[in-house]
Each structure stands twice: as C-alpha cells, then as structure tokens.
Amino acid sequence: MAEKKMDSSPDHSRRRFLKYTGTAIGGVVVGGVIGSAVSGGFTKKSAVPSPSASPQAQPAGDYNRAPMFFNQTQLQMTEAASERIFPKDDSGPGASELGVAFYIDHQLASPWGVNARTYRTGPFVKGEVTQGDYLSIQRHELITMGLHSMEETSKSKYSKSFVDLAPEEMDAILTSMEKGEIQVVNGITGKTFFNLFRTMVMEGVYSDPLYGGNSNMQGWKMRKYPGNQMSYTSIMDKDQFIAMEPRSLHDHFVH
C-alpha cells in the first residue's frame, strides 16, 4: 500500500514524466540533451570540457556607458557635438572617447537636470549681461530643445541629420548657436544652450570618472592631475614636481 502511494505521488509522477517524455522528444527537439540528462546523465566528456574549449574571460563592462535620459538620436548628436568642442588631437583623446556624452546624459537624468535646488518662482525676465539667464524651462529641456533646433537647422540647411554632417558643417551650426543666431524656444537663443552645453562638455572631460565622463582618467592624465588622492604627506616636502598616478573616487570606494 505504501509503495502504491509513493508511485502516485505528484513528485514521483513528475520524475517519471520527465524521464520517459524527455527521452522520447530529446532527439527531435533538443538534440538529445534533455533525454541524455534524465535517462542516464551526461558522459564525462560532455560534462568536463577540455581547457581549449573553455570560453575566454571577458573584460568587465563599463556600466557608466549606459544612457539614462537621452534617446539614441540625442545621445549620438551629443557625442558628435561634444567631439567638435573638445576634439581628439596629439595631446590625447577627444570628448567621444572620454565618454562626455554619457556624463551629460547622467547629469540631465539627475535632480540637477530638473533644477531641483534652483529658485524657480517668476517673474522670468531677461537679465543684464552681467546677470546671466534666469530661464523658465529646466536644464534638461534646454538641452533637448537645443539639440532639436540643431537637427532642424541641419536638415533645412544641408538636407542631412546633424550626425551625418561633415566636421566643418557641424562647426558652422555650433558657431551659429554660439552667436545666438538660432532660436531654441520662447525667446531663448542658441547662445544660452551653447554656453550650458560647452560647460557640461568640459565638466565631462575633467570630472571624476564616477560620474560617467573622463574615461580611464585620461582627461586628468593629459593634465598630469592626480585626481582624488587620500594624502599628499609623502611628497609635501619635495621641491620638484611629482607625477602621480591619478586616483578616482571609485578607487577609494572599492579599496
């Protein structure tokens, strides 16, 4: 009686089902993998692959290289425009290689992008030259609208998207933005957009890599900047310049 009870238990029935149906369908559906496993196990050869068949260790991914705010078109435009502002040359990599577009993207996705700590009550009036702008729109809106204006200008002037332009054509549009010749929205000119965009590009080049830019601290290395060292006591009494391997905030968090 006890034996019959065990045979009819759900768990025992499931094992029998896997054994017989797995063996039956294995060769048809999955090349015998399921059937071999449930009816007798894998052979030693298949269970222990040779060292030559082992996959090579993959380098760790850079998870800072992931958009949080931009769509792909905006991200590509930001990368192209930032490279024209800080291009690659004999001194070192440009904005694209340094990941500046991802720095800008991450900043716009943060509370800073929505002016979380900025006084936001009107009236919104045009200030004097020495006062700067007091905008009715948020930073992320200014950047996305500025990119949109660049794209529209590119299509109307060159019949191409901004990312498909030649370098000198990109420079021409960016120069027009800088001069305020292109309108962004509600009386806000491209000059306001360009000033903020350029500032963010330079921040992305030289900020701590923890924030998405300055990939591998290459921006710092070009300037021989030591980054975030824990202490300088070992070199404080030195008269000559001491070149130090830069350190990121990430290094202190990990170690």
Side-chain angles (χ1 to χ4, degrees):
M1 187 69 179
E3 184 179 352
K4 184 177 180 182
K5 200 171 192 179
M6 184 178 294
D7 286 344
S8 61
S9 66
D11 186 59
H12 188 76
S13 299
R14 185 170 66 86
R15 287 200 300 272
R16 283 195 302 163
F17 173 80
L18 287 173
K19 178 177 179 181
Y20 295 119
T21 58
T23 304
I25 69 172
V28 178
V29 180
V30 289
V33 175
I34 296 177
S36 175
V38 299
S39 63
F42 295 108
T43 64
K44 185 176 181 180
K45 182 178 179 180
S46 62
V48 184
S50 63
S52 60
S54 300
Q56 296 295 322
Q58 298 296 318
D62 185 353
Y63 298 108
N64 263 349
R65 293 289 181 108
M68 298 179 180
F69 177 79
F70 285 140
N71 60 37
Q72 282 300 310
T73 298
Q74 293 167 338
L75 185 67
Q76 291 169 3
M77 287 186 64
T78 299
E79 186 172 61
S82 62
E83 181 70 14
R84 297 310 305 155
I85 293 174
F86 194 90
K88 180 178 181 178
D89 59 16
D90 294 339
S91 300
S96 179
E97 187 176 344
L98 290 169
V100 167
F102 291 97
Y103 167 82
I104 296 175
D105 170 88
H106 295 181
Q107 291 301 302
L108 296 180
S110 74
W112 182 87
V114 294
N115 299 62
R117 296 188 177 185
T118 304
Y119 179 78
R120 300 288 297 150
T121 302
F124 298 97
V125 297
K126 183 175 178 59
E128 300 296 330
V129 176
T130 56
Q131 293 177 313
D133 296 312
Y134 181 51
L135 303 178
S136 59
I137 61 175
Q138 298 171 344
R139 295 185 183 103
H140 73 89
E141 294 173 318
L142 174 61
I143 295 299
T144 53
M145 289 178 180
L147 292 174
H148 178 74
S149 296
M150 287 171 54
E151 181 72 352
E152 291 299 304
T153 302
S154 175
K155 289 180 178 178
S156 63
K157 188 174 182 179
Y158 300 106
S159 300
K160 292 185 290 187
S161 292
F162 182 82
V163 295
D164 296 325
L165 297 179
E168 59 272 14
E169 294 171 337
M170 290 184 182
D171 291 347
I173 290 181
L174 290 171
T175 299
S176 294
M177 296 291 283
E178 183 180 19
K179 292 180 178 179
E181 297 171 351
I182 298 175
Q183 193 81 359
V184 174
V185 65
N186 296 335
I188 299 173
T189 67
K191 182 176 182 179
T192 301
F193 159 80
F194 183 86
N195 288 342
L196 178 60
F197 187 84
R198 183 184 181 279
T199 296
M200 297 184 77
V201 169
M202 302 312 294
E203 288 175 357
V205 170
Y206 295 117
S207 64
D208 193 283
L210 192 68
Y211 300 105
N214 190 12
S215 179
N216 296 320
M217 296 177 279
Q218 294 179 88
W220 289 347
K221 290 174 183 177
M222 285 190 286
R223 297 283 186 174
K224 293 182 172 57
Y225 177 68
N228 295 293
Q229 302 287 335
M230 290 294 289
S231 173
Y232 295 95
T233 54
S234 61
I235 63 169
M236 287 174 61
D237 59 343
K238 307 294 183 183
D239 293 329
Q240 71 275 22
F241 176 80
I242 304 297
M244 306 178 69
E245 188 67 21
R247 289 175 63 84
S248 164
L249 290 170
H250 176 269
D251 298 326
H252 303 307
F253 292 151
V254 172
H255 302 295

